Amino acid sequence: MNALGRHRALSRIWSSEPGWKGVISTVNHSDLGKMFLLVATVFFSIGGILAMLIRTQLATPRSVFLAPAIYDQIFTMHGTVMMFLFAIPLFEGAAVYLLPKLLGTRDLAFPRLTAYGFWCYAFGGAMLVFAMLAGLAPASGWFMYPPLSSAAHSPGINADFWLIGVTFVEISAIAAAVEICVSILKFRAPGMSLDLMPIFAWYALVTALMILMGFPPLILGSILLELERAFGFPFFESALGGSPLLWQHLFWLFGHPEVYIIFLPAAGVVSTVLPVMARTTLLGYRWVAAAAVALAFLSFGLWVHHMFATGIPHMGLAFFSAASTLVAVPTGIQIFAWLGTLWKGRPRLTLPMLYIIGFFFTFVIGGLTGVMVAIVPFDWQAHDTAFITAHLHYVLVGGFVFPMLAGLYYWLPQLTGRKRFFRIGEMAFWLIFLGFNGAFFAMHWVGLLGQRRRIAWYPDDAGWTTINLISSISAFVMAIGVAMVVVDIALHALLAIRGSRNPWEAGTLEWAMPTPPAAYNFASIPIVSDREPLAMDPKLAEKIARGCYFLAAPHGDLRETLTVDAASGRPEALVIFPSNSTLPIALAAATGAAFLGALIRVYWIVPAALLVVVGLSLRWGWSQRQAPHPGLQNVGRTTLLPQAIETDRSPGWWGSAFLLVADTILFGSLVFGYAFLWTIGPNWPPPQWLSPSAVELTLGLIGAAAGVTGIHAAACGASPRLGVLISLAGLATTIAALAMTLARASALTDYAYGATIFLMIAYALLHAVIAAIMTCSLAYRALRGGPSAPRRSNVNIVGLWTDYAGFVAAAGLLGAQFSSYLE
């Protein structure tokens, strides 16, 4: 088969359908990445319009441009849109689009999961924007502190829109994080060891792991606050054993890592683009990768520095202040590596380079002010002033928007296959750079003069009028610059002329394909032995197109790629991806219906929608594609590999493992909340304890042990059907024990202790039910036999979920049954 015939055959297999049907059914990573980026840009525009309304309100003293109630909704939604609907989804879109191209593979690990995550994001974001347009937006700030956000002080469903909408959107973030982790570790070009990965992949991997560990505390906090608002569970009511500070701990366990979740992908863009612009390689590759890991690790120990003004003990203040300054070390390593790269190279002042220079200037200022607010006495003075708002924007805009704009102009020729003709981008840069610094440097100034954040107006004689006017005018200048970027991109896409394949003379794999890229990325999957394979072999693109590497011969309509050993990059298995499907959008719609039922308090919708979710999920699991013949498959170059579904550690196993990491963090956050209320919360001990029950405890522990033992016996293959049935019986026993404990705990939910016990048991019960449903599916397939019989990978995946269900059931029952003895 020649190169043209191979291109036509692969395009027929991998392409999405034309028109709107293709939009709702595509599972191709390039399409979904562009959809993520487009929708994130729309939300960025909405957030920018809200910012301009805020600056218009503050341009003059005693402004009546916006009523205070409307102003509160606008600044709440500005922060919510920018943090949850723009920054993280923009990273997700960039990663979804770029990673397979950088890693030398044809798609991400779970194409349908990518599509499901996108539709959850789109539906959840639309829910929040609808709330704002309908006047139902929350008005408690984007961090939703109780008691201001409690039912007593925020009646109606405004706050519920935030709690439920943001949680819905976070499903997308968790899905993307699982996708990114598995794709980077298992879906790479053969020979690409961890040490040879593009540096952006390291940053994306670290960021995805941070999402899995950072988002669950906020998801838990949102669940707790919604339960308090809807059912009166008093998690944050001091008089009933709760504490408003619990919300702050849970929120900032997410909120501070979130800053680095936003910064690290942008730093990955800088580490990728800067060496190309300097015509050299990145100085200190291993040091930069290690610094990213260290920054992620340290970021989870800093959350309390947002709470210095809440009465933290002096020892805690000293520890978290020191930790907050320590984070400057890995950041400094990266900055000096970038400066060293410039020093050893021959930099060229291109448009991406302009944005990187702007990033250096603004982010260093943001970092220095970050060290300032890490010092407790200064933080006490600057807390809740406009200085903090300015610092946040210098970190997030300087540390995220500028690098992402650099990345946009760097990868734009790869995305469109065109070269820039109009030079609007340079003018837009100067408007953005000067407007941003004028707006937020002035905000630092007025904050030091005492202006509080989140105020709708200020008096004439405060001395802030001129500074606020300068800030507002500069903000509009910046907005004009952003609008010019949008115009520049539109003109580039519509009117620019065709460009060369690799205009920057870069060495990474995304430039070793036709531009714009084909739906399948690579005609054959290359072998990699260098961090810049295209620089090492300038004819690599030609060899890929001629089919000199793996999977050069299409088989029917199968979408094929390879998995590799996570460390060495040695080829391990053949993966067959699903084709286009409307299943992801249907599953996202059913998930959204469950959230909508909870929002409007029509609770019968919730179980009905969840039944649909279960049915669609089972259909999802049963629709895996396989090669026509079992056994070893010829993947080219005289290499025979098994199908991934026939291995012990299939991609589904890896995905489940990473999803359970997030699940474990959520459970750990719940245990943390329980311990926090026990030790710190007022009005403890509770008036009534849950009495121990030997029957419930014995049944639960025996059932959990039987469930785990049975599924592992099935995995060993000695008697798979018997093992599955034993596991199912054990899970049923565990469910019965948990249900009995839950029924008794429901009588105690009018106090924080009882509500926490109830939620802990409900969490364990939910996971026991999930494991039972998965085991039932496994049992049906085992009894049916034939081609439908479960593979070892299926059993091992169910084994992971059963192990976890047994663990949380045992922990929940022991914690609930013996809580009265711990006092």
Side-chain angles (χ1 to χ4, degrees):
M1 180 180 291
N2 61 25
L4 181 59
R6 182 175 297 104
H7 166 73
R8 289 172 176 170
L10 288 170
S11 294
R12 175 182 55 80
I13 294 169
W14 288 84
S15 293
S16 303
E17 297 185 50
W20 282 103
K21 188 175 181 181
V23 172
I24 65 173
S25 65
T26 184
V27 295
N28 182 274
H29 81 96
S30 293
D31 293 338
L32 290 165
K34 288 183 280 190
M35 289 159 67
F36 261 112
L37 293 171
L38 177 61
V39 175
T41 303
V42 171
F43 284 125
F44 177 67
S45 301
I46 294 172
I49 292 170
L50 296 176
M52 294 305 98
L53 294 175
I54 294 170
R55 287 315 318 170
T56 302
Q57 174 75 4
L58 295 178
T60 56
R62 300 189 180 277
S63 175
V64 294
F65 176 70
L66 295 171
I70 299 299
Y71 179 82
D72 289 348
Q73 290 190 20
I74 286 175
F75 80 70
T76 298
M77 287 303 298
H78 168 70
T80 299
V81 168
M82 289 302 197
M83 297 295 285
F84 296 106
L85 302 183
F86 164 64
I88 299 299
L90 191 75
F91 155 65
E92 294 169 14
V96 166
Y97 180 82
L98 286 173
L99 279 176
K101 298 173 176 61
L102 287 163
L103 297 173
T105 187
R106 287 175 172 167
D107 211 324
L108 294 170
F110 310 109
R112 290 182 298 186
L113 184 63
T114 309
Y116 172 70
F118 168 76
W119 290 112
C120 286
Y121 162 54
F123 292 157
M127 181 188 298
L128 288 167
V129 172
F130 167 80
M132 180 179 64
L133 296 177
L136 297 173
S140 306
W142 71 274
F143 28 70
M144 294 291 288
Y145 282 175
L148 182 59
S149 58
S150 65
H153 300 284
S154 295
I157 63 172
N158 299 49
D160 302 298
F161 262 111
W162 191 97
L163 295 168
I164 291 174
V166 166
T167 303
F168 190 15
V169 170
E170 284 168 350
I171 292 176
S172 170
I174 296 294
V178 170
E179 182 85 80
I180 290 168
C181 287
V182 179
S183 298
I184 291 174
L185 292 176
K186 299 298 294 180
F187 288 76
R188 305 195 302 269
M192 184 183 284
S193 63
L194 290 176
D195 190 49
L196 297 181
M197 287 198 312
I199 192 65
F200 182 80
W202 271 109
Y203 278 99
L205 177 62
V206 172
T207 303
L209 289 171
M210 290 181 69
I211 289 173
L212 292 178
M213 293 185 285
F215 275 55
L218 179 61
I219 294 174
L220 175 66
S222 300
I223 292 171
L224 297 183
L225 186 51
E226 182 59 27
L227 287 174
E228 179 175 295
R229 289 177 55 85
F231 301 108
F233 287 25
F235 298 108
F236 308 109
E237 288 282 346
S238 298
L240 297 174
S243 172
L245 284 181
L246 174 60
W247 170 269
Q248 292 198 34
H249 279 289
L250 292 174
F251 183 88
W252 291 115
L253 275 167
F254 147 82
H256 196 82
E258 163 86 341
V259 174
Y260 299 96
I261 288 170
I262 291 172
F263 164 68
L264 283 173
V269 171
V270 174
S271 295
T272 301
V273 176
L274 184 67
V276 179
M277 297 300 105
R279 290 174 281 194
T280 185
T281 56
L282 178 66
L283 179 69
Y285 170 95
R286 292 183 178 87
W287 281 96
V288 171
V293 174
L295 194 60
F297 178 79
L298 290 172
S299 71
F300 285 95
L302 309 180
W303 82 95
V304 173
H305 91 201
H306 295 272
M307 302 170 61
F308 282 167
T310 61
I312 301 296
H314 286 182
M315 181 64 73
L317 291 175
F319 173 82
F320 285 101
S321 178
S324 299
T325 55
L326 184 63
V327 80
V329 175
T331 306
I333 289 173
Q334 295 172 84
I335 290 174
F336 281 108
W338 296 328
L339 293 176
T341 301
L342 288 173
W343 182 263
K344 78 167 186 172
R346 293 177 293 115
R348 42 188 168 174
L349 195 59
T350 60
L351 186 53
M353 192 66 188
L354 275 177
Y355 279 106
I356 290 176
I357 293 172
F359 153 76
F360 280 135
F361 183 84
T362 54
F363 183 72
V364 167
I365 292 176
L368 292 175
T369 56
V371 174
M372 291 168 67
V373 298
I375 307 303
V376 176
F378 182 85
D379 182 81
W380 282 345
Q381 300 300 316
H383 186 76
D384 263 351
T385 68
F387 185 94
I388 301 299
T389 307
H391 158 68
L392 176 67
H393 283 79
Y394 260 90
V395 171
L396 296 184
V397 177
F400 181 74
V401 175
F402 277 93
M404 296 309 280
L405 286 172
L408 170 67
Y409 280 106
Y410 173 74
W411 279 297
L412 196 59
Q414 202 277 343
L415 179 69
T416 65
R418 300 172 183 265
K419 64 180 180 180
R420 292 179 64 230
F421 181 76
F422 299 96
R423 298 297 170 181
I424 302 174
E426 285 78 4
M427 186 184 302
F429 163 77
W430 287 110
L431 290 176
I432 293 171
F433 180 76
L434 296 175
F436 170 79
N437 283 283
F440 293 100
F441 191 84
M443 203 175 290
H444 279 113
W445 182 11
V446 79
L448 290 175
L449 293 178
Q451 179 177 310
R452 313 300 296 174
R453 61 197 297 196
R454 302 185 295 275
I455 57 171
W457 64 275
Y458 52 91
D460 299 328
D461 57 355
W464 305 334
T465 303
T466 301
I467 306 173
N468 273 301
L469 184 60
I470 293 171
S471 182
S472 294
I473 292 173
S474 299
F476 276 93
V477 171
M478 178 184 174
I480 294 170
V482 172
M484 290 178 66
V485 169
V486 174
V487 171
D488 190 33
I489 300 303
L491 290 175
H492 175 92
L494 297 174
L495 301 177
I497 59 176
R498 291 285 301 174
S500 58
R501 174 178 289 186
N502 186 6
W504 307 114
E505 299 178 355
T508 43
L509 285 174
E510 78 272 28
W511 301 103
M513 60 178 68
T515 56
Y520 54 84
N521 289 341
F522 299 97
S524 58
I525 297 180
I527 299 172
V528 170
S529 59
D530 190 85
R531 290 191 193 125
E532 296 193 351
L534 190 56
M536 186 184 73
D537 182 4
K539 294 186 177 181
L540 179 63
E542 179 184 343
K543 293 178 181 178
I544 291 172
R546 293 207 320 262
C548 296
Y549 300 106
F550 290 104
L551 297 178
H555 295 97
D557 64 344
L558 299 180
R559 299 185 175 188
E560 299 173 312
T561 193
L562 300 178
T563 61
V564 299
D565 176 72
S568 67
R570 173 181 49 83
E572 273 192 345
L574 171 70
V575 174
I576 299 177
F577 285 136
S579 57
N580 298 320
S581 171
T582 56
L583 193 59
I585 190 173
L587 186 59
T591 308
F595 281 95
L596 186 61
L599 174 65
I600 62 178
R601 309 286 172 86
V602 182
Y603 292 113
W604 65 265
I605 296 177
V606 178
L610 290 178
L611 285 175
V612 176
V613 168
V614 170
L616 292 174
S617 300
L618 291 173
R619 176 76 181 97
W620 184 309
W622 275 66
S623 57
Q624 296 174 340
R625 302 197 70 186
Q626 302 179 29
H629 307 289
L632 297 177
Q633 308 291 318
N634 184 5
V635 297
R637 299 180 65 88
T638 66
T639 301
L640 299 177
L641 295 176
Q643 292 186 75
I645 198 173
E646 296 174 347
T647 62
D648 290 338
R649 298 288 187 267
S650 68
W653 185 91
W654 283 86
S656 293
F658 281 111
L659 183 56
L660 287 173
V661 168
D663 216 351
T664 304
I665 298 296
L666 192 146
F667 184 68
S669 300
L670 180 57
V671 174
F672 164 80
Y674 184 44
F676 176 81
L677 292 179
W678 192 295
T679 56
I680 304 297
N683 298 310
W684 280 66
Q688 184 180 356
W689 298 94
L690 182 73
S691 58
S693 169
V695 173
E696 294 168 6
L697 185 61
T698 303
L699 283 176
L701 294 179
I702 291 176
V708 171
T709 303
I711 200 67
H712 282 282
C716 292
S719 181
R721 295 184 182 181
L722 179 61
V724 169
L725 293 177
I726 291 174
S727 179
L728 192 57
L731 288 168
T733 304
T734 304
I735 290 170
L738 290 168
M740 288 187 286
T741 306
L742 190 70
R744 293 195 302 119
S746 63
L748 307 175
T749 55
D750 56 350
Y751 208 84
Y753 157 77
T756 310
I757 290 293
F758 179 89
L759 189 59
M760 192 178 300
I761 297 298
Y763 176 90
L765 179 60
L766 172 64
H767 285 79
V769 170
I770 291 172
I773 292 171
M774 297 176 74
T775 307
C776 283
S777 174
L778 205 63
Y780 174 75
R781 296 177 72 165
L783 293 173
R784 187 175 178 182
S788 300
R791 307 296 180 95
R792 288 186 63 179
S793 62
N794 302 131
V795 181
N796 287 334
I797 291 169
V798 176
L800 275 179
W801 288 90
T802 304
D803 289 348
Y804 186 72
F807 163 71
V808 294
L813 285 169
L814 289 169
Q817 299 287 347
F818 290 104
S819 58
S820 61
Y821 293 107
L822 299 176
E823 179 58 32

